[in-house]
Amino acid sequence: MAALEALISPAAIAVIGASPDAGKIRGRLVAALKSGAYGGPIYPVNPAHAEIQGLRAYPSIGAIGQPVDLALIVIPAEHVADALEQCADAGVKSAVIFSSGFAESGAASAERQKRIGEIAAARGILVCGPNSVGFLNEAAGINASFSPSANVASATEGVAGVARRVAVVSQSGGLGFAIYNRGAKRGIRFSHVVSTGNEAHLGVLDFTDYLLQKDEVGALILLLEQVRGGERFIEVAEKAANLGKPLIVAKLGRSQAARRGSLSHTGSMTGAEFAHDAVFRHSGVIRGEDQDELLDIAAAFTSCPLPTGRNVGIIAISGGAGVWLADACERHGLMVPELGGDVQKDLRAFIPDYGGVSNPVDITAQALEMGGNIATIERLYAAPGIDSLAVNAFLTEASMVAAEKADLARIQARQEKPLLYYTHSLPHDGALVHLAATGVPCYTSIQGCARALRALADYAEFLELRAADTPAPEVETPPLPKGKAVLTECNAAPYLAALGIAMPEARLAKTAAEAVAAAAALTGAVALKAQSPQLTHKRAAGGVALGLTGDWQLRRAFEQVTDLPAEIALDGVLVQKMAAKGIEMIAGIARDETFGPLVMVGFGGSDVEIEPDVAWAPAPFGEARALALIRSLKAAARLDGAARARRADIGALAGLLVRLSRFAERNRERIQELDLNPVVLYEEGEGLMALDALIVTQGDNGE
């Protein structure tokens, strides 16, 4: 994606539709470019003016006569396609289209947008938009946006540069620049902000993929209304994980009301939320619920190393604030362990008796005046049982941070443990500047501080799990039918057998007499199950009878399970040996329209449709991730056994999921659904058995 340099870091910029009135959007773009540190030429294009805001104006893009990397197009929608063609004729490499009136305006206008994409592809010109708010490239001094949020107040001017910065890529232009504005005032440093608009050509994933390659980018905030290209999203997320650069995502449009809004705003539809949750969790993508949470998490990742565990050391100037912070940490799955005796003894040397040294550490105002804050940070930073530090400070005045700035910067530069500051009062601008210069992030919310620490710990565990997950071996299975098909249990059995998934012994019967003979051959109690592609929920339709013995029971049950509406064509009745009881689970595959096949596991049986306890992951994956998926179930503790029951064979269940994931990957263009419900899980070492199965395939057009 190096070609995006022409758009993000252009050597020369033209503004098509530029205006001398800096109060209008067409004029704001010129003013914004001039006000930054951009050193390249700016060419206003407008045939009605000879000069615009002190710059020579040109009647057309072709009249410039000099190389232009980027054109900012801000003219009525009906003229954009012609302008883009003229840019291509003049050798312009890229364009950002600010104009609205495309897919967000309805079907007719959507044709204009389609034309934009066609021109971009045919002429080899990179296009961002339409309906974009532009972009910001701080390193190059480019403010190519009309957003007022791109103008940041001077609260944090003079903050020292940092090695890792935050990039923002947003399908909602206003929100993306609002994130930037809000974060910059907190002392968070940014590298880029990009508004992708309606994405007629380039989209969020193109810019994300490009920005991941930038050394200065340490984390990316993505604001998504729709994921376009689910498989590409997974690939980009994998790339981010390889680089250790987290994607912090706000996925908009979860509610029905939000989906209606999405249609009118960007002309996009939102996908199934369970699929987004599954893919995000599997790929290490971190979800944020509001602007501050996104920034809280990004600040931690661009300032701190990853922790080696979940133990937090808390240092507080206010005892109450320290306890409150400890509560928040524990609610977020972190631990606040008591400090060892040697550490407490060292702290007591300068913390008075009325202070606390167990964790949280209450340094008291007296100890603070004696340099106790830095001394305590140093001691906990060196403590082997502490993985992260959260320091509560009172930053209403700048003097304390100013006095400790050099020591804080020295400690933070070691990058051995996460170190975060929390102030229970709003920080003084000077205090924020001093603290930002040390590289230590500042939080004004207890929950935000704890959430950031949790995100760091979760991501560290995700990377460990990812490294431990070895690819599953390929599994040879019969080819699935071409076109739309529903494979009932008897027809699905060969695929399960090839996957090594055990099922009870069974035989297909066409008549009651054949059923009686089959039952005699199987010995013991049997089940009868009507088999028809039109009968995917057999039990609900009365097509299942269980625990049958004796000829009379079998004949009567055969009549019952075949007493179905005339339009249902039966393939026969499956006579199946009853299986021993165990823990009923469910496992399977479902194809999501955005991300492709997903593998599911959960507690099964009749309760699954009433109150499902299930977890999903995109295929394929290995045993380590399969075990983690099982452990993510709310009732996973049931599998560990109790006083009267041994531990369940979790390894066998994990192996089943791994094989299903390989089957899903191998048949990703064919598989629509695979359902195993129930899967009876036995005690450790005794395996499992699938008692029912259904496979649904899709046609060549996904139908």
Side-chain angles (χ1 to χ4, degrees), residues 501 584-590 599-604 608 614-616 653 656-657 660 674-679 688 690 692-694:
I501 300 172
E584 288 194 349
M585 307 295 294
I586 184 172
I589 301 165
V599 176
M600 179 265 285
V601 66
F603 287 91
V608 71
V614 298
W616 298 81
L653 184 58
L656 168 69
L657 298 179
L660 287 179
L674 186 152
D675 187 62
L676 304 178
N677 183 30
V679 173
L688 52 77
D692 203 354
L694 177 73

Side-chain angles (χ1 to χ4, degrees), residues 355-402:
V357 294
S358 63
N359 197 19
V361 178
D362 181 3
I363 61 175
T364 76
Q366 179 177 330
L368 181 64
E369 292 180 354
M370 300 168 59
N373 190 52
I374 293 297
T376 305
I377 292 173
E378 288 275 24
R379 190 63 186 89
L380 266 63
Y381 206 87
I386 297 300
D387 304 306
S388 303
L389 276 74
V391 180
N392 162 238
F394 189 67
L395 300 183
T396 303
E397 298 178 350
S399 56
M400 187 188 86
V401 182

Side-chain angles (χ1 to χ4, degrees), residues 414-484:
R414 289 158 60 181
Q415 288 289 288
E416 296 169 4
K417 296 179 180 181
L419 171 60
L420 280 62
Y421 258 52
Y422 158 67
T423 173
H424 50 280
S425 62
L426 290 176
H428 185 280
D429 285 352
L432 190 58
V433 170
H434 289 312
L435 192 59
T438 70
V440 176
C442 180
Y443 296 81
T444 58
S445 159
I446 284 177
Q447 294 301 325
C449 184
R451 176 69 179 90
L453 288 169
R454 180 184 124 196
L456 291 171
D458 287 349
Y459 195 72
E461 290 182 357
F462 157 74
L463 292 179
E464 290 178 6
L465 174 64
R466 185 173 177 271
D469 197 49
T470 55
E474 287 285 353
V475 180
E476 290 291 338
T477 58
L480 285 171
K482 292 183 178 180
K484 181 77 171 178

